[in-house]
Amino acid sequence: MTMTRTRPGDDTAAATPSEIVLDVDGLSVEYAGAGAPVRACTDVTFQLRRGEILGVVGESGSGKSTLITALTRLQRPPAVTTSGHVVFHPQSGEPGIDLVPLKPRALRALRWTSLSIVLQSAMDALNPVMRLGAQFVDVLRVHDRSMSNAAAWEEARRLLGLVGISADRARSYPHELSGGMRQRATIALALACRPELVVMDEPTTAVDVVMQRQILAQVLRLRREFGFAVVFVTHDLSLLLELADRIAVMYAGRIVELASAEDLYRTPLHPYTRGLRDSFPPLHAPVTRLEGIPGSPPDLRALPAGCPFAPRCPAVMDRCRDILPPLLSHGDPDSPDARSVACHLHDEELIP
Ligand code: SF4
């Protein structure tokens, strides 16, 4: 097995540009304040293929939520993108669009139609004083001014049906729906204009396990039907193992491992990934004893010189405390199955 340095895009280098919907390269975000800046997201690089579901997982404070707001340009001061690019490649074959410097007007034109977002709380996405259907009608008609009011209401009812909500609910207000129904409605709303990319930020956190399973099954079915790609952020690795094609594990603002869901579950390379996997009940086996990860994430204002996981790592070595391990591609970097890890345990495998 060989390892080579990961350059931007190497993890999916076999894909041609038309197969890539999102190309994130060297993205860094800081929170400026009175003291040292908080480095919430550092040098994040990955590519997302059309129709792929990429899971992003990490504890709170790992930078995953900051990543989502930076990707979707929803971040607010004091968060600042200090470097990097987020390039969206339209399926039409038109040149890629870097979202980072995009003016608000151009960004609004892309929202819903090319890129849409499902937030953790459905009530943040839905207007509490508007009937559900009217909210769909607004979105549909802003992006297609030729659509009649009646056609938009018909489409709203059809979209609600896609997520198992009966058509007569279109006239309900959000507070008249259950939590699970509201969350499914926001997923239907996100799909209203047939986007190529949907970013989902912990969309099942506020619902019970049964509803969570229903929502995940619907996301998978709708993805098959419409072919959109998904970036799905959560703290729950077990959920991603069932949903995602590939998973990026974040720690202290960096991606520390990126692999297919199956590889990540069967042979996690990073000790943090192993700790996360062992913190959740196994997928298809009886629960024995769950191991947590001792300690807590580091202060992002004062990150250590070496590996940020070193104080918690059961495999820590001397070099870990002084040298930050770079994210390295594991195996043939030109293969779509390439995986990457940032850990000195795998250093020797990268020496040619
Ligand atoms: Fe542990 Fe060292 Fe790997 Fe960091 S680099 S995860 S401290 S073994």
Side-chain angles (χ1 to χ4, degrees):
M1 190 173 285
T2 58
M3 294 182 80
T4 44
R5 267 175 204 287
T6 294
R7 301 179 310 274
D10 267 359
D11 60 303
T12 51
T16 61
S18 64
E19 292 175 306
I20 301 299
V21 64
L22 194 72
D23 193 348
V24 180
D25 180 10
L27 188 68
S28 295
V29 181
E30 290 182 1
Y31 290 85
V38 176
R39 298 204 166 84
C41 198
T42 305
D43 199 18
V44 169
T45 294
F46 66 85
Q47 291 183 318
L48 182 68
R49 302 182 187 98
R50 294 196 188 286
E52 180 182 35
I53 299 183
L54 175 75
V56 179
V57 69
E59 296 166 290
S60 67
S62 63
K64 59 189 191 309
S65 297
T66 299
L67 174 64
I68 283 282
T69 53
L71 289 184
T72 52
R73 288 279 311 275
L74 286 174
Q75 66 192 24
R76 298 278 172 267
V80 183
T81 296
T82 53
S83 62
H85 303 280
V86 177
V87 179
F88 170 74
H89 294 280
Q91 192 154 26
S92 60
E94 286 165 44
I97 303 160
D98 189 354
L99 305 182
V100 172
L102 208 60
K103 296 265 184 292
R105 190 175 169 164
L107 197 60
R108 275 198 300 277
L110 283 180
R111 286 229 169 101
W112 301 102
T113 50
S114 299
L115 155 73
S116 65
I117 302 143
V118 178
L119 296 168
Q120 196 174 125
S121 164
M123 286 312 273
D124 288 344
L126 297 174
N127 185 333
V129 296
M130 272 177 90
R131 293 185 196 279
L132 196 56
Q135 304 190 42
F136 281 74
V137 168
D138 266 9
V139 168
L140 289 163
R141 295 190 71 199
V142 162
H143 292 279
D144 179 1
R145 296 197 178 277
S146 66
M147 186 179 267
S148 70
N149 198 42
W153 271 94
E154 191 50 45
E155 179 64 1
R157 287 189 278 269
R158 191 188 71 81
L159 286 161
L160 288 170
L162 285 178
V163 292
I165 298 176
S166 66
D168 59 345
R169 287 296 195 165
R171 301 207 69 81
S172 300
Y173 289 95
H175 72 267
E176 295 173 321
L177 308 176
S178 69
M181 224 184 251
R182 280 199 294 265
Q183 198 55 281
R184 283 183 286 148
T186 62
I187 291 172
L189 189 59
L191 300 180
C193 300
R194 301 286 183 97
E196 294 173 47
L197 169 63
V198 184
V199 176
M200 300 188 174
D201 183 12
E202 307 239 20
T204 59
T205 302
V207 297
D208 64 45
V209 178
V210 176
M211 183 50 64
Q212 187 182 67
R213 298 289 157 218
Q214 281 183 22
I215 290 175
L216 296 185
Q218 279 169 348
V219 169
L220 282 169
R221 183 175 55 74
L222 293 167
R223 186 267 301 252
R224 272 198 302 277
E225 204 170 322
F226 298 109
F228 53 83
V230 180
V231 178
F232 192 107
V233 169
T234 177
H235 65 281
D236 185 345
L237 180 60
S238 62
L239 185 154
L240 288 184
L241 292 169
E242 294 187 35
L243 179 78
D245 300 303
R246 287 188 304 153
I247 298 175
V249 179
M250 289 193 74
Y251 189 77
R254 293 176 182 270
I255 292 180
V256 295
E257 185 159 4
L258 178 60
S260 72
E262 189 173 350
D263 284 347
L264 203 92
Y265 177 65
R266 293 194 188 287
T267 55
L269 298 179
H270 197 285
Y272 177 62
T273 310
R274 204 169 306 131
L276 274 185
R277 184 198 62 177
D278 296 341
S279 305
F280 289 97
L283 287 179
H284 305 294
V287 178
T288 48
R289 191 167 139 254
L290 297 182
E291 308 278 346
I293 304 173
S296 48
D299 180 353
L300 296 174
R301 281 187 195 83
L303 287 167
C307 173
F309 190 57
R312 306 172 73 186
C313 181
V316 62
M317 302 170 283
D318 285 348
R319 75 187 118 153
C320 303
R321 302 190 199 282
D322 305 320
I323 306 166
L324 178 71
L327 187 66
L328 300 163
S329 180
H330 189 266
D332 177 3
D334 289 339
S335 160
D337 300 323
R339 56 189 301 187
S340 306
V341 64
C343 173
H344 289 309
L345 284 176
H346 303 281
D347 278 359
E348 54 284 1
E349 297 168 55
L350 63 94
I351 297 167

